[in-house]
mmCIF file of all heavy atoms in Angstrom:
data_model
loop_
_atom_site.group_PDB
_atom_site.id
_atom_site.type_symbol
_atom_site.label_atom_id
_atom_site.label_comp_id
_atom_site.label_asym_id
_atom_site.label_seq_id
_atom_site.Cartn_x
_atom_site.Cartn_y
_atom_site.Cartn_z
ATOM 1 N N ALA C 1 -37.227 33.247 161.288
ATOM 2 C CA ALA C 1 -37.472 34.685 161.255
ATOM 3 C C ALA C 1 -38.896 35.009 161.676
ATOM 4 O O ALA C 1 -39.133 35.990 162.400
ATOM 5 C CB ALA C 1 -37.193 35.231 159.854
ATOM 6 N N GLN C 2 -39.848 34.177 161.246
ATOM 7 C CA GLN C 2 -41.242 34.401 161.634
ATOM 8 C C GLN C 2 -41.433 34.227 163.132
ATOM 9 O O GLN C 2 -42.148 35.006 163.777
ATOM 10 C CB GLN C 2 -42.150 33.445 160.864
ATOM 11 C CG GLN C 2 -42.237 33.740 159.378
ATOM 12 C CD GLN C 2 -43.011 32.665 158.619
ATOM 13 O OE1 GLN C 2 -43.386 31.636 159.178
ATOM 14 N NE2 GLN C 2 -43.243 32.906 157.339
ATOM 15 N N VAL C 3 -40.774 33.212 163.705
ATOM 16 C CA VAL C 3 -40.864 32.999 165.151
ATOM 17 C C VAL C 3 -40.262 34.183 165.900
ATOM 18 O O VAL C 3 -40.831 34.682 166.881
ATOM 19 C CB VAL C 3 -40.153 31.688 165.544
ATOM 20 C CG1 VAL C 3 -40.043 31.575 167.063
ATOM 21 C CG2 VAL C 3 -40.913 30.489 164.972
ATOM 22 N N ALA C 4 -39.103 34.641 165.441
ATOM 23 C CA ALA C 4 -38.452 35.778 166.100
ATOM 24 C C ALA C 4 -39.308 37.034 165.988
ATOM 25 O O ALA C 4 -39.418 37.808 166.950
ATOM 26 C CB ALA C 4 -37.074 36.017 165.495
ATOM 27 N N ASP C 5 -39.921 37.247 164.834
ATOM 28 C CA ASP C 5 -40.799 38.408 164.666
ATOM 29 C C ASP C 5 -42.002 38.323 165.596
ATOM 30 O O ASP C 5 -42.403 39.316 166.211
ATOM 31 C CB ASP C 5 -41.267 38.507 163.213
ATOM 32 C CG ASP C 5 -40.157 38.932 162.266
ATOM 33 O OD1 ASP C 5 -39.172 39.530 162.745
ATOM 34 O OD2 ASP C 5 -40.271 38.648 161.053
ATOM 35 N N GLY C 6 -42.592 37.112 165.691
ATOM 36 C CA GLY C 6 -43.743 36.933 166.571
ATOM 37 C C GLY C 6 -43.366 37.162 168.034
ATOM 38 O O GLY C 6 -44.115 37.801 168.786
ATOM 39 N N ALA C 7 -42.207 36.654 168.451
ATOM 40 C CA ALA C 7 -41.750 36.871 169.827
ATOM 41 C C ALA C 7 -41.487 38.345 170.087
ATOM 42 O O ALA C 7 -41.799 38.861 171.163
ATOM 43 C CB ALA C 7 -40.493 36.046 170.087
ATOM 44 N N ALA C 8 -40.911 39.027 169.106
ATOM 45 C CA ALA C 8 -40.644 40.462 169.269
ATOM 46 C C ALA C 8 -41.939 41.242 169.413
ATOM 47 O O ALA C 8 -42.019 42.187 170.208
ATOM 48 C CB ALA C 8 -39.829 40.977 168.087
ATOM 49 N N ARG C 9 -42.978 40.854 168.664
ATOM 50 C CA ARG C 9 -44.278 41.529 168.801
ATOM 51 C C ARG C 9 -44.865 41.285 170.188
ATOM 52 O O ARG C 9 -45.450 42.190 170.792
ATOM 53 C CB ARG C 9 -45.241 41.046 167.724
ATOM 54 C CG ARG C 9 -44.931 41.584 166.329
ATOM 55 C CD ARG C 9 -46.094 41.327 165.377
ATOM 56 N NE ARG C 9 -46.281 39.893 165.158
ATOM 57 C CZ ARG C 9 -45.675 39.198 164.196
ATOM 58 N NH1 ARG C 9 -44.835 39.811 163.371
ATOM 59 N NH2 ARG C 9 -45.919 37.911 164.050
ATOM 60 N N LEU C 10 -44.712 40.051 170.694
ATOM 61 C CA LEU C 10 -45.239 39.732 172.018
ATOM 62 C C LEU C 10 -44.518 40.515 173.110
ATOM 63 O O LEU C 10 -45.129 40.926 174.105
ATOM 64 C CB LEU C 10 -45.100 38.229 172.269
ATOM 65 C CG LEU C 10 -45.536 37.709 173.647
ATOM 66 C CD1 LEU C 10 -47.042 37.893 173.840
ATOM 67 C CD2 LEU C 10 -45.148 36.251 173.824
ATOM 68 N N LEU C 11 -43.227 40.738 172.932
ATOM 69 C CA LEU C 11 -42.418 41.345 173.975
ATOM 70 C C LEU C 11 -42.277 42.857 173.848
ATOM 71 O O LEU C 11 -41.681 43.490 174.729
ATOM 72 C CB LEU C 11 -41.014 40.718 173.968
ATOM 73 C CG LEU C 11 -40.955 39.228 174.288
ATOM 74 C CD1 LEU C 11 -39.541 38.691 174.065
ATOM 75 C CD2 LEU C 11 -41.406 38.948 175.714
ATOM 76 N N ARG C 12 -42.785 43.432 172.768
ATOM 77 C CA ARG C 12 -42.627 44.877 172.603
ATOM 78 C C ARG C 12 -43.440 45.613 173.679
ATOM 79 O O ARG C 12 -44.331 45.047 174.303
ATOM 80 C CB ARG C 12 -43.088 45.302 171.209
ATOM 81 C CG ARG C 12 -44.561 45.136 170.966
ATOM 82 C CD ARG C 12 -44.921 45.439 169.516
ATOM 83 N NE ARG C 12 -46.343 45.234 169.281
ATOM 84 C CZ ARG C 12 -46.906 45.327 168.082
ATOM 85 N NH1 ARG C 12 -46.159 45.617 167.022
ATOM 86 N NH2 ARG C 12 -48.209 45.127 167.943
ATOM 87 N N GLY C 13 -43.123 46.873 173.853
ATOM 88 C CA GLY C 13 -43.808 47.644 174.883
ATOM 89 C C GLY C 13 -43.464 47.112 176.268
ATOM 90 O O GLY C 13 -42.299 46.908 176.603
ATOM 91 N N TRP C 14 -44.503 46.842 177.053
ATOM 92 C CA TRP C 14 -44.311 46.336 178.409
ATOM 93 C C TRP C 14 -44.196 44.815 178.442
ATOM 94 O O TRP C 14 -43.965 44.239 179.508
ATOM 95 C CB TRP C 14 -45.458 46.799 179.307
ATOM 96 C CG TRP C 14 -45.446 48.274 179.508
ATOM 97 C CD1 TRP C 14 -46.128 49.205 178.778
ATOM 98 C CD2 TRP C 14 -44.692 48.999 180.472
ATOM 99 N NE1 TRP C 14 -45.851 50.467 179.234
ATOM 100 C CE2 TRP C 14 -44.977 50.371 180.279
ATOM 101 C CE3 TRP C 14 -43.816 48.626 181.487
ATOM 102 C CZ2 TRP C 14 -44.402 51.359 181.066
ATOM 103 C CZ3 TRP C 14 -43.245 49.614 182.273
ATOM 104 C CH2 TRP C 14 -43.545 50.964 182.063
ATOM 105 N N GLY C 15 -44.342 44.184 177.293
ATOM 106 C CA GLY C 15 -44.284 42.726 177.261
ATOM 107 C C GLY C 15 -42.953 42.173 177.713
ATOM 108 O O GLY C 15 -42.887 41.101 178.321
ATOM 109 N N LEU C 16 -41.869 42.884 177.432
ATOM 110 C CA LEU C 16 -40.544 42.402 177.817
ATOM 111 C C LEU C 16 -40.397 42.354 179.337
ATOM 112 O O LEU C 16 -39.646 41.529 179.870
ATOM 113 C CB LEU C 16 -39.464 43.303 177.212
ATOM 114 C CG LEU C 16 -38.026 42.802 177.339
ATOM 115 C CD1 LEU C 16 -37.838 41.482 176.599
ATOM 116 C CD2 LEU C 16 -37.041 43.833 176.828
ATOM 117 N N LEU C 17 -41.103 43.216 180.036
ATOM 118 C CA LEU C 17 -41.076 43.182 181.486
ATOM 119 C C LEU C 17 -42.061 42.157 182.041
ATOM 120 O O LEU C 17 -41.733 41.413 182.980
ATOM 121 C CB LEU C 17 -41.410 44.566 182.055
ATOM 122 C CG LEU C 17 -41.539 44.679 183.584
ATOM 123 C CD1 LEU C 17 -40.206 44.338 184.254
ATOM 124 C CD2 LEU C 17 -41.998 46.079 183.983
ATOM 125 N N VAL C 18 -43.234 42.050 181.432
ATOM 126 C CA VAL C 18 -44.319 41.268 182.024
ATOM 127 C C VAL C 18 -44.260 39.792 181.647
ATOM 128 O O VAL C 18 -44.386 38.913 182.507
ATOM 129 C CB VAL C 18 -45.684 41.871 181.622
ATOM 130 C CG1 VAL C 18 -46.833 40.987 182.115
ATOM 131 C CG2 VAL C 18 -45.818 43.277 182.172
ATOM 132 N N VAL C 19 -44.062 39.483 180.363
ATOM 133 C CA VAL C 19 -44.192 38.103 179.899
ATOM 134 C C VAL C 19 -43.161 37.165 180.534
ATOM 135 O O VAL C 19 -43.524 36.120 181.087
ATOM 136 C CB VAL C 19 -44.137 38.039 178.356
ATOM 137 C CG1 VAL C 19 -44.105 36.588 177.874
ATOM 138 C CG2 VAL C 19 -45.343 38.767 177.755
ATOM 139 N N PRO C 20 -41.858 37.471 180.487
ATOM 140 C CA PRO C 20 -40.905 36.565 181.145
ATOM 141 C C PRO C 20 -41.140 36.453 182.654
ATOM 142 O O PRO C 20 -40.955 35.380 183.230
ATOM 143 C CB PRO C 20 -39.546 37.206 180.843
ATOM 144 C CG PRO C 20 -39.774 38.013 179.609
ATOM 145 C CD PRO C 20 -41.159 38.556 179.766
ATOM 146 N N MET C 21 -41.563 37.534 183.271
ATOM 147 C CA MET C 21 -41.855 37.489 184.696
ATOM 148 C C MET C 21 -42.990 36.509 184.986
ATOM 149 O O MET C 21 -42.916 35.706 185.932
ATOM 150 C CB MET C 21 -42.221 38.894 185.190
ATOM 151 C CG MET C 21 -42.392 39.017 186.695
ATOM 152 S SD MET C 21 -42.927 40.689 187.134
ATOM 153 C CE MET C 21 -41.506 41.656 186.631
ATOM 154 N N LEU C 22 -44.041 36.552 184.175
ATOM 155 C CA LEU C 22 -45.159 35.616 184.338
ATOM 156 C C LEU C 22 -44.716 34.180 184.063
ATOM 157 O O LEU C 22 -45.187 33.243 184.726
ATOM 158 C CB LEU C 22 -46.312 36.008 183.415
ATOM 159 C CG LEU C 22 -47.020 37.323 183.745
ATOM 160 C CD1 LEU C 22 -48.100 37.611 182.715
ATOM 161 C CD2 LEU C 22 -47.625 37.272 185.151
ATOM 162 N N LEU C 23 -43.830 33.992 183.099
ATOM 163 C CA LEU C 23 -43.313 32.649 182.848
ATOM 164 C C LEU C 23 -42.548 32.124 184.060
ATOM 165 O O LEU C 23 -42.695 30.954 184.447
ATOM 166 C CB LEU C 23 -42.415 32.653 181.607
ATOM 167 C CG LEU C 23 -43.106 32.811 180.261
ATOM 168 C CD1 LEU C 23 -42.073 32.944 179.147
ATOM 169 C CD2 LEU C 23 -44.014 31.620 179.980
ATOM 170 N N TRP C 24 -41.720 32.966 184.645
ATOM 171 C CA TRP C 24 -40.982 32.555 185.852
ATOM 172 C C TRP C 24 -41.947 32.190 186.982
ATOM 173 O O TRP C 24 -41.739 31.195 187.686
ATOM 174 C CB TRP C 24 -40.056 33.675 186.300
ATOM 175 C CG TRP C 24 -38.720 33.650 185.624
ATOM 176 C CD1 TRP C 24 -38.340 32.856 184.595
ATOM 177 C CD2 TRP C 24 -37.593 34.456 185.957
ATOM 178 N NE1 TRP C 24 -37.035 33.115 184.250
ATOM 179 C CE2 TRP C 24 -36.553 34.086 185.068
ATOM 180 C CE3 TRP C 24 -37.355 35.443 186.896
ATOM 181 C CZ2 TRP C 24 -35.283 34.681 185.111
ATOM 182 C CZ3 TRP C 24 -36.100 36.042 186.944
ATOM 183 C CH2 TRP C 24 -35.083 35.658 186.059
ATOM 184 N N ILE C 25 -42.980 32.981 187.167
ATOM 185 C CA ILE C 25 -43.959 32.691 188.216
ATOM 186 C C ILE C 25 -44.667 31.373 187.931
ATOM 187 O O ILE C 25 -44.874 30.544 188.828
ATOM 188 C CB ILE C 25 -44.958 33.852 188.348
ATOM 189 C CG1 ILE C 25 -44.258 35.091 188.918
ATOM 190 C CG2 ILE C 25 -46.145 33.461 189.215
ATOM 191 C CD1 ILE C 25 -45.122 36.339 188.922
ATOM 192 N N ALA C 26 -45.043 31.148 186.659
ATOM 193 C CA ALA C 26 -45.726 29.909 186.287
ATOM 194 C C ALA C 26 -44.836 28.695 186.534
ATOM 195 O O ALA C 26 -45.310 27.645 186.991
ATOM 196 C CB ALA C 26 -46.156 29.968 184.820
#
C-alpha cells in the first residue's frame, strides 16, 4: 500500500504523462 501510494503521488498531475514517457525514452 505504501508503494502504491508513493507511485500515485509521483504520477499525479502531469506525472502520469511525463514519468512513463521518460522511462520509455531511457
Side-chain angles (χ1 to χ4, degrees):
Q2 291 173 354
V3 171
D5 289 339
R9 287 193 294 271
L10 177 65
L11 297 172
R12 67 186 178 185
W14 293 93
L16 189 62
L17 175 63
V18 174
V19 173
M21 187 184 295
L22 293 178
L23 288 174
W24 274 8
I25 291 173

